[in-house]
Amino acid sequence: MIGDPTRGYAWTRALLGLKADEIHICSATGDELVEHHYERFKPLVVEAKTLLGDLKNVRSGDCVVAFSRREIFEVKLAIEKYTSHRCCVIYGALPPETRRHQANLFNDQDNEYDVLVASDAVGMGLNLNIRRVVFYSLSKYNGDKIVPVEASQVKQIAGRAGRRGSRYPDGLTTTLNLDDLDYLIECLKRPFEEVKKAGLFPFFEQVELFAGQLPNITFTRLLEKHDHVKKIANMLEKVQGLSLEDRFNFCFAPVNIRDPKAMHHLLRFASSYSQDMRVSIAMGMPKCSARNDSELLDLETKHQVLSMYLWLSNHFKEDTFPYVKKAEAMATDIAELLGQSLIKACWKPESREKQNHQEKKDGYERPKSLIKLYEKWKSKKTFKQVREPNLIALLKPQQTSVH
């Protein structure tokens, strides 16, 4: 993750800023480190028989992984419409407490929620009792175009099945469509690439020194190669009275730059701060859980804005963000409303692009894969795989090096 060309610097900052006595790094670096070896306690097995393009073949204990919010809710809706299963959902825009609540619902054997539908967020920080990971697709939108999911990410997500402590003897993984199966196998067989470089972002003192040498260059121009930070910096150009250090700190506020409402609140926070005013939350509290996807999106945005307010209160003078306790209480209440909303969610997600999904008489069929990844990637390379009639034992218990 720290080697990612666009967001690597954020993971590097998070790693270096961890307040922990001991850090376990699952990667390879050039530093001198103490090395420990850990074994996977249960095998990870690839099911050669996919779901044949039909979500009606989902079973209890499955986690269906999709790479967009829209697809997550479409999958949830289809499974609950065409089967007797009930679904929990986990994706990145949900607050941590809501994700934990959904995870607990899924793990609890004494309720009807026996299927999980999740994004790649399922691969981090949650203990889940997953029997089988099913990839809805193996391509995703990266903000610019549709690209293959990286092999390291495929391995991380697939490995959530059958973890130590799980009630299932093995971990299983497969795909919804047969077209994606060979690429899944190829990803799991591929060794981890050594991380030879990490994304870095200069500290403020370095930016300040650089700005002093180029007095005619705007702050936005200084951040030319960092699109996420640059977009926030460009928005803040219209705010007068902010010092260079203020602009630098506001640029790292946790905001979804594709959410206009959240960006508006960040601009408002920065404008109030620049005028030496006490920064107010100025956001109404919802009266009930969401009744449609628009209201669910609004709840997600409100929680993000409150999280942003709390983050800013820790990075600026305390008296300029005085409503911390109110923001914490509102965030807790909204997380609760989000949990209630997800339990009853039975609506189609809002989307800017219409997708023509096909329904069958007795089930739901996803359109064919967007790209036949394994055919494109092999070029002159031959990939041969001998399949057993039902299961391919791919990753047996083995040592995994953790540095």
Side-chain angles (χ1 to χ4, degrees):
M1 292 185 288
I2 63 175
D4 185 89
T6 56
R7 295 291 291 160
Y9 76 88
W11 290 109
T12 306
R13 284 169 66 94
L15 175 64
L16 297 178
L18 282 173
K19 295 180 180 179
D21 295 328
E22 182 175 292
I23 302 172
H24 290 246
I25 307 172
C26 300
S27 178
T29 73
D31 295 328
E32 185 177 336
L33 302 169
V34 177
E35 184 175 307
H36 294 279
H37 292 266
Y38 297 91
E39 291 185 0
R40 181 180 170 98
F41 285 86
K42 298 180 179 182
L44 178 62
V45 177
V46 175
E47 279 194 326
K49 185 178 181 181
T50 68
L51 268 61
L52 306 176
D54 193 345
L55 289 170
K56 193 178 179 184
N57 293 322
V58 162
R59 289 178 281 173
S60 180
D62 281 355
C63 172
V64 182
V65 177
F67 292 96
S68 76
R69 182 184 180 280
R70 175 185 57 77
E71 286 185 337
I72 286 170
F73 280 99
E74 287 181 345
V75 169
K76 177 186 185 312
L77 184 64
I79 290 174
E80 293 185 341
K81 179 177 180 181
Y82 294 111
T83 75
S84 59
H85 300 294
R86 294 295 304 277
C87 301
C88 297
V89 295
I90 293 173
Y91 53 95
L94 295 175
E97 52 267 53
T98 304
R99 288 189 231 176
R100 285 194 296 271
H101 178 253
Q102 291 291 300
N104 291 337
L105 273 179
F106 174 70
N107 288 337
D108 187 356
Q109 289 182 272
D110 297 326
N111 63 41
E112 56 188 335
Y113 296 94
D114 60 343
V115 171
L116 178 64
V117 185
S119 71
D120 49 0
V122 75
M124 302 179 205
L126 291 170
N127 292 317
L128 295 160
N129 204 2
I130 298 171
R131 183 184 66 87
R132 179 175 65 172
V133 169
V134 178
F135 286 92
Y136 182 70
S137 72
L138 283 167
S139 56
K140 68 176 183 177
Y141 182 67
N142 69 353
D144 178 41
K145 58 185 177 181
I146 294 175
V147 297
V149 180
E150 292 185 5
S152 60
Q153 193 174 19
V154 172
K155 293 174 82 165
Q156 183 184 25
I157 295 169
R160 303 308 296 174
R163 303 288 287 191
R164 184 183 183 185
S166 167
R167 61 179 176 269
Y168 303 111
D170 298 325
L172 305 176
T173 186
T174 190
T175 57
L176 177 68
N177 288 299
L178 183 61
D179 284 348
D180 290 325
L181 186 62
D182 282 346
Y183 181 63
L184 171 63
I185 295 169
E186 188 179 335
C187 286
L188 295 179
K189 290 174 71 72
R190 195 181 300 174
F192 281 106
E193 294 181 9
E194 184 179 345
V195 179
K196 297 182 178 179
K197 58 184 178 180
L200 292 173
F201 198 93
F203 293 104
F204 168 69
E205 291 77 12
Q206 294 168 312
V207 173
E208 185 179 38
L209 183 64
F210 192 40
Q213 300 299 314
L214 300 167
N216 297 323
I217 299 295
T218 65
F219 182 60
T220 303
R221 285 286 305 280
L222 291 175
L223 307 173
E224 192 69 40
K225 293 186 178 180
H226 300 276
D227 291 341
H228 182 94
V229 178
K230 180 185 172 184
K231 185 165 184 178
I232 300 173
N234 189 53
M235 179 184 72
L236 295 178
E237 287 287 348
K238 62 186 79 169
V239 180
Q240 303 298 316
L242 288 176
S243 68
L244 186 67
E245 186 172 9
D246 292 336
R247 292 183 188 280
F248 183 84
N249 287 330
F250 271 109
C251 281
F252 287 97
V255 63
N256 179 358
I257 61 173
R258 293 192 290 270
D259 187 333
K261 291 180 181 178
M263 289 289 278
H264 166 75
H265 281 283
L266 179 58
L267 178 61
R268 184 175 59 79
F269 292 159
S271 298
S272 296
Y273 181 85
S274 71
Q275 298 171 52
D276 259 348
M277 296 169 58
R278 298 171 79 187
V279 180
S280 63
I281 298 172
M283 187 174 65
M285 181 67 196
K287 295 180 180 178
C288 62
S289 59
R291 292 161 293 187
N292 51 54
D293 198 54
S294 178
E295 291 183 359
L296 183 63
L297 284 167
D298 188 56
L299 285 174
E300 291 173 13
T301 296
K302 286 182 185 303
H303 194 281
Q304 182 188 159
V305 170
L306 293 166
S307 296
M308 182 167 57
Y309 186 94
L310 293 170
W311 186 92
L312 291 169
S313 73
N314 287 321
H315 289 78
F316 289 90
K317 295 176 185 177
E318 192 176 338
D319 57 346
T320 55
F321 290 86
Y323 305 107
V324 170
K325 289 186 177 179
K326 181 181 178 182
E328 288 174 340
M330 289 178 68
T332 299
D333 291 342
I334 289 176
E336 178 67 27
L337 290 176
L338 275 166
Q340 296 171 13
S341 304
L342 293 175
I343 288 173
K344 67 178 186 179
C346 58
W347 48 74
K348 290 186 178 180
E350 292 192 349
S351 174
R352 291 192 183 99
E353 296 178 10
K354 293 183 179 178
Q355 301 287 336
N356 296 318
H357 287 260
Q358 301 167 347
E359 292 191 11
K360 301 196 308 185
K361 268 188 182 179
D362 58 345
Y364 174 89
E365 184 175 22
R366 179 186 181 274
K368 295 296 181 185
S369 288
L370 296 170
I371 30 185
K372 292 186 177 180
L373 299 170
Y374 69 96
E375 289 180 357
K376 288 186 178 180
W377 281 28
K378 280 182 250 182
S379 42
K380 295 179 183 179
K381 190 166 137 191
T382 303
F383 175 69
K384 294 182 181 179
Q385 178 66 42
V386 179
R387 295 193 189 122
E388 297 289 335
N390 294 311
L391 299 177
I392 301 170
L394 188 65
L395 295 180
K396 295 181 180 177
Q398 58 185 338
Q399 288 191 333
T400 302
S401 208
V402 179
H403 301 266

